[in-house]
Amino acid sequence: MSVLLCIATGFIITTGHFTRADMLALMLYLAIAAFAWHPLTATFTVLVICSLGAVLTGSGGVLLELAVALGLVASTCAPWVIALHVLVLSGLTTDIALNGPSLTDGGVYGIAGIAIIAFLAGLSFRIVTTREAILIAERTRVIADLEGLASEEQERIADELHDGIAHDLTLVLFHARALPRQPDEAARQVSLTTIEDSAEKALQSIQSLLTLMHETRPYGPEMHPARYDGDVIEAVKSLGALLRDAAIPTRVSVPQVSLNAAPVAERVLIKTAIEAVTNILKHTPNSVSASLDISEKPGFIELVVKNAASRTDSRASANSSGRGLLRSRQRLAQCGGKLETDLSSGVWLLRAKIPVVPAVPVAHPSE
């Protein structure tokens, strides 16, 4: 269009006068150039200019330009716009062929041939660009899916490292440090047993993690069994015993019957309780007291973990929004629950809530 504008301007300068036909030609070239920005507006502008040119000049030249423009319309506009363009082109061609002297014999067929060629060229371009857009969209979707799978696998591996191995190694480190200070053989034996059990669990977790990283089939429960057999009540009892073995006076309160929680909800509560106990051992190993309570309230199950720090413990990071608490909050949210933490007067509180589901009560042995 820039070249055509330059040529038209050169003819105007050469002839020394500016006619109405020259003005229409310049306007038409600008209108065709507008297809690059807004095809619908450009189409209507071309139709109006060509219609005015045909009526005012009675020349068939505008019909050729209108026929060529059909290619741009076919490649960029909606079907109804294409039909309107063809209708206007047919009407103007018929009118000039019947009433104007500018079309020679066979001129109608020439315009029709140019229009058909332009239409097919525009349609081909439209098919190619549409196919390319579909391929690009599909490639983008596949890349997003692959990135999502990779991110999910990374999260699973990170969760296994944090929830399993980090918890076991925290127990090993705590009891290893406490072993030289144990007052009697019984206390030392408890620490040694805890170190051995935790190290064995950490090794199992590493083996499971390696299986997860090398296994090609989807991640499933059979690849990594749930800790404490997926029973949150037994998990709370065991975690309370761990705190007592760590010389932290701990109170545990659990219901006598099983909770109305789905298996996935119980696993989430177990991981939340593990995270809370791990934080206690990691950040406040000299806690004065601790408590673990799990109960069923109307419509939800509540897990409450508290501990009172001693003066020698630093609580700077115990209430931080680190990865563990963040992931616990995300897991609970996925099950419709929520997590609250608070630090006040040296007492750290974690409260997790998760909705209940119907279940058949099963008796649990009393603590």
Side-chain angles (χ1 to χ4, degrees):
M1 290 304 102
S2 299
V3 172
L4 290 176
L5 284 171
C6 291
I7 293 174
T9 304
F11 276 115
I12 293 172
I13 295 174
T14 302
T15 57
H17 59 275
F18 184 74
T19 65
R20 184 167 53 186
D22 294 330
M23 180 184 67
L24 291 173
L26 293 175
M27 292 175 59
L28 179 62
Y29 298 153
L30 291 173
I32 292 176
F35 273 96
W37 292 276
H38 200 283
L40 184 61
T41 301
T43 299
F44 281 99
T45 305
V46 168
L47 290 177
V48 170
I49 293 173
C50 289
S51 298
L52 289 175
V55 172
L56 296 177
T57 65
S59 172
V62 293
L63 299 180
L64 293 175
E65 295 162 343
L66 194 60
V68 172
L70 180 59
L72 294 172
V73 176
S75 63
T76 57
C77 295
W80 69 270
V81 180
I82 300 173
L84 177 62
H85 190 97
V86 172
L87 182 61
V88 173
L89 176 61
S90 301
L92 292 176
T93 303
T94 302
D95 180 68
I96 293 178
L98 296 177
N99 304 318
S102 59
L103 281 183
T104 60
D105 294 339
V108 173
Y109 300 107
I111 293 174
I114 293 174
I116 292 173
I117 293 173
F119 173 76
L120 293 176
L123 186 61
S124 299
F125 179 79
R126 187 181 195 128
I127 292 173
V128 171
T129 53
T130 301
R131 182 182 178 185
E132 183 180 359
I134 293 173
L135 291 176
I136 292 174
E138 182 66 15
R139 183 178 64 182
T140 302
R141 185 190 65 80
V142 171
I143 292 174
D145 290 343
L146 292 176
E147 289 177 347
L149 290 174
S151 176
E152 184 178 351
E153 288 302 311
Q154 290 174 354
E155 287 293 334
R156 287 172 179 168
I157 293 172
D159 285 346
E160 177 60 25
L161 286 171
H162 183 276
D163 299 334
I165 299 173
H167 171 70
D168 295 327
L169 293 181
T170 298
L171 291 176
V172 171
L173 179 62
F174 178 86
H175 283 279
R177 288 174 174 173
L179 189 60
R181 301 192 299 270
Q182 298 292 6
D184 51 41
E185 183 61 29
R188 283 193 292 271
Q189 189 60 42
V190 169
S191 292
L192 288 172
T193 301
T194 303
I195 291 173
E196 182 179 0
D197 292 342
S198 298
E200 183 177 357
K201 289 181 181 179
L203 180 60
Q204 292 175 353
S205 296
I206 292 173
Q207 293 172 342
S208 175
L209 180 60
L210 292 175
T211 301
L212 172 63
M213 294 174 66
H214 291 93
E215 189 61 61
T216 56
R217 69 176 182 267
Y219 180 84
E222 71 279 359
M223 293 180 58
H224 182 67
R227 286 177 174 253
Y228 305 104
D229 295 326
D231 190 327
V232 65
I233 293 178
E234 294 302 325
V236 169
K237 291 179 180 179
S238 299
L239 291 170
L242 283 177
L243 290 176
R244 294 192 192 101
D245 291 342
I248 300 176
T250 304
R251 178 184 61 82
V252 176
S253 175
V254 297
Q256 299 302 311
V257 297
S258 62
L259 301 170
N260 290 323
V264 63
E266 290 211 54
R267 289 195 294 271
V268 169
L269 287 173
I270 289 172
K271 291 183 177 181
T272 303
I274 290 175
E275 171 64 21
V277 171
T278 301
N279 280 344
I280 292 174
L281 294 174
K282 184 186 299 183
H283 301 298
T284 57
N286 301 311
S287 293
V288 176
S289 64
S291 65
L292 289 85
D293 300 90
I294 187 164
S295 59
E296 186 170 334
K297 304 292 179 65
F300 64 92
I301 297 169
E302 183 179 65
L303 170 68
V304 179
V305 180
K306 293 182 181 179
N307 81 295
S310 67
R311 293 183 178 180
T312 58
D313 283 329
S314 171
R315 300 306 301 267
S317 58
N319 196 41
S320 64
S321 298
R323 173 180 171 81
L325 292 179
L326 178 60
R327 288 293 292 150
S328 296
R329 185 172 285 107
Q330 291 173 345
R331 293 192 197 101
L332 286 164
Q334 290 174 353
C335 296
K338 63 179 181 178
L339 177 68
E340 300 173 353
T341 59
D342 181 62
L343 176 61
S344 177
S345 302
V347 177
W348 184 62
L349 168 68
L350 178 144
R351 187 188 307 274
K353 297 181 180 179
I354 201 165
V356 300
V357 296
V360 179
V362 177
H364 275 268
S366 58
E367 186 179 2

